[in-house]
Amino acid sequence: MKPEILELENFLPYRLYRLADTVSREFSRIYKERHGLTRPEWRTLSGLGQRGMMTATELGEQSAMHKTKVSRAVAELERRRWLTRAPDENDRRVEHLTLTKAGLAAYREMVPLAKAFEREVLARLSEEERAAIVRGVAALEEALSSS
Amino acid sequence: MKPEILELENFLPYRLYRLADTVSREFSRIYKERHGLTRPEWRTLSGLGQRGMMTATELGEQSAMHKTKVSRAVAELERRRWLTRAPDENDRRVEHLTLTKAGLAAYREMVPLAKAFEREVLARLSEEERAAIVRGVAALEEALSSS
DNA sequence: TTTCGATGGTTACAAATGAAACCAGTTTGG
DNA sequence: CCAAACTGGTTTCATTTGTAACCATCGAAA
C-alpha cells in the first residue's frame, strides 16, 4: 500500500459507481425489453404512477433527473399516449402530468417486476448484509444531501 | 404502502444509482477542473498509475469499461503524451501501455486529491455507518458478480 | 404599470456513449 | 497447410446526454 498509489478496486466512488451501474443495467433490461423504455422514461412512468399527478419540475426533483431529461421523457411518453398534460389554472407555464389508462396499465405491469427484481437481489445477501447496505446507503445519502 | 405502488425513493436500484451519481459527479469535478479529463480518461490514468503497464483489455477489465471507452481514452491520453504504446513481442495485436513522465506526474498529483475526497466523504459518517457501507457494498458486489 | 429578475419548460448544439461492423493478427481443427 | 473461429483493438453510426441558450410567463419592486 504505497501511499502514492490509489487502488481503484477499493476506491469508494469507483465501487459505488460500478455497483450502481451493474444493478441499474440489469434492472433496465426489464423495462427496456418489455416496453423499450429508457431510464428517464421509466422513472417518469414510475413517478407518475406513484404520485398520480405531477409537474415536470416535481418529477425532476423526485427522480433526480435534469429537466431536459424530464422534458424528453415526458414528450416520448406523451407520444405513446401514456400520459397527458393539463394546464395549470393559475400559472400558464406549468403543466400537470397524469398517466393515461395505457400508461397506468404499463405501470401496474412493471411494479411487480421491479419489486421482484429488488427482492431477488437482496435475497442473495444475509440478513446482516441487507441491513448493512440499507444503513450504509441511507447514511451516505444523508451525508451528501447536506453538502 | 399499497402493494401496487413502487416507492422510487426506497427502491434500491434507484437509490444506488443516485448515490453513485452524486458521489461520482462531485469527485469528477476534481479531475475535470484540474486537467479536463473525462471519467474514462481518469480511470485509464488511474489504472496505469496503479499497475504500471497494462494492455487495453486489462484496463477494461480492471476499471469496468467497455472497450470502446478504453480505446478512446487511451487515444486521448496518448495525444496528450501522457502514455505511450509498446508493441507486444509475441502478439502483434496487443499493445502495452505505460504512463510517460507527464502522465505519471498528473497521476501523482491526483492521488492525494482522490484519497482526500474519499476520506472527507467517509468522515461525515459514524464508525458504524462507515462499516455498514463498506460491508454492504462488498456484499452486493459479491452477490452480483456471480450472477 | 412597467421593468427586471426568477421560474417552468423546450430546443439547439456539442460531447459522450453503446452496438455492431470492422481490420489485423492468432489459434484451432481438419 | 488452410479455413474458420476467435481475439485485441479501432471506427462508424445512431442514440443519449449535458450545457447553455432560449421562450413564455410570473412575481416583486420601483
Side-chain angles (χ1 to χ4, degrees):
Chain A
M1 321 290 155
K2 304 175 194 172
E4 71 270 20
I5 294 294
L6 180 75
E7 291 180 47
L8 197 56
E9 303 88 336
N10 288 320
F11 186 51
L12 186 67
Y14 168 67
R15 292 178 74 181
L16 267 181
Y17 193 91
R18 190 184 52 181
L19 181 58
D21 194 58
T22 304
V23 171
S24 178
R25 224 179 197 66
E26 197 134 333
F27 176 57
S28 77
R29 294 225 307 262
I30 297 178
Y31 53 75
K32 207 164 283 177
E33 285 175 5
R34 200 103 186 157
H35 293 293
L37 293 176
T38 63
R39 185 166 44 225
E41 285 154 20
W42 149 251
R43 285 194 188 167
T44 299
L45 179 69
S46 178
L48 290 178
Q50 176 184 343
R51 299 236 185 127
M53 177 181 275
M54 299 173 80
T55 68
T57 301
E58 288 167 348
L59 260 172
E61 284 162 5
Q62 195 219 2
S63 55
M65 291 193 292
H66 190 272
K67 60 182 184 170
T68 59
K69 273 190 188 170
V70 175
S71 175
R72 295 189 255 243
V74 167
E76 169 60 20
L77 294 189
E78 184 185 31
R79 200 193 57 70
R80 290 181 184 225
R81 306 199 191 288
W82 280 14
L83 66 76
T84 55
R85 313 180 192 232
D88 183 274
E89 295 283 298
N90 310 313
D91 188 339
R92 300 200 334 243
R93 294 168 303 179
V94 178
E95 293 176 323
H96 298 280
L97 310 167
T98 328
L99 292 185
T100 61
K101 287 240 186 258
L104 209 47
Y107 175 71
R108 293 225 175 90
E109 180 196 338
M110 290 297 312
V111 168
L113 301 178
K115 291 191 174 182
F117 175 84
E118 183 183 41
R119 198 164 41 238
E120 279 161 26
V121 167
L122 288 174
R124 301 181 201 166
L125 306 186
S126 72
E127 191 55 59
E128 291 75 29
E129 289 167 339
R130 268 194 294 279
I133 189 67
V134 169
R135 172 108 194 271
V137 166
L140 260 185
E141 283 172 347
E142 170 63 20
L144 291 169
S145 69
S146 51
S147 80
Chain B
M1 320 291 149
K2 304 174 197 170
E4 72 271 21
I5 294 293
L6 178 75
E7 291 180 47
L8 198 55
E9 303 88 337
N10 288 322
F11 187 51
L12 186 67
Y14 168 67
R15 292 179 75 182
L16 266 181
Y17 192 93
R18 191 184 51 178
L19 181 58
D21 194 59
T22 304
V23 171
S24 179
R25 222 178 197 69
E26 197 136 333
F27 176 57
S28 77
R29 294 226 306 263
I30 295 178
Y31 53 75
K32 206 164 281 175
E33 286 175 3
R34 200 102 186 158
H35 293 294
L37 294 176
T38 64
R39 186 168 41 226
E41 285 155 19
W42 150 251
R43 283 192 189 169
T44 299
L45 179 69
S46 178
L48 290 178
Q50 176 184 345
R51 299 237 185 127
M53 178 181 275
M54 299 173 81
T55 68
T57 301
E58 288 167 347
L59 261 172
E61 284 163 3
Q62 194 219 4
S63 54
M65 292 192 291
H66 191 270
K67 61 182 184 170
T68 60
K69 273 190 188 171
V70 175
S71 174
R72 295 190 257 243
V74 166
E76 169 60 19
L77 294 189
E78 184 186 31
R79 202 193 56 70
R80 291 182 184 222
R81 306 198 190 291
W82 280 13
L83 66 74
T84 55
R85 312 178 191 234
D88 183 274
E89 295 284 297
N90 310 315
D91 188 337
R92 294 190 351 231
R93 293 169 303 178
V94 177
E95 293 175 324
H96 299 280
L97 309 167
T98 331
L99 293 184
T100 61
K101 287 240 186 259
L104 209 48
Y107 175 72
R108 293 224 175 92
E109 181 196 337
M110 290 295 312
V111 168
L113 300 178
K115 291 192 174 182
F117 175 84
E118 184 184 41
R119 199 163 42 237
E120 280 160 26
V121 168
L122 289 174
R124 300 182 202 168
L125 305 185
S126 72
E127 190 56 57
E128 290 74 31
E129 289 166 340
R130 268 194 295 279
I133 189 68
V134 169
R135 173 110 194 269
V137 167
L140 262 185
E141 283 172 347
E142 171 63 21
L144 291 170
S145 69
S146 51
S147 80

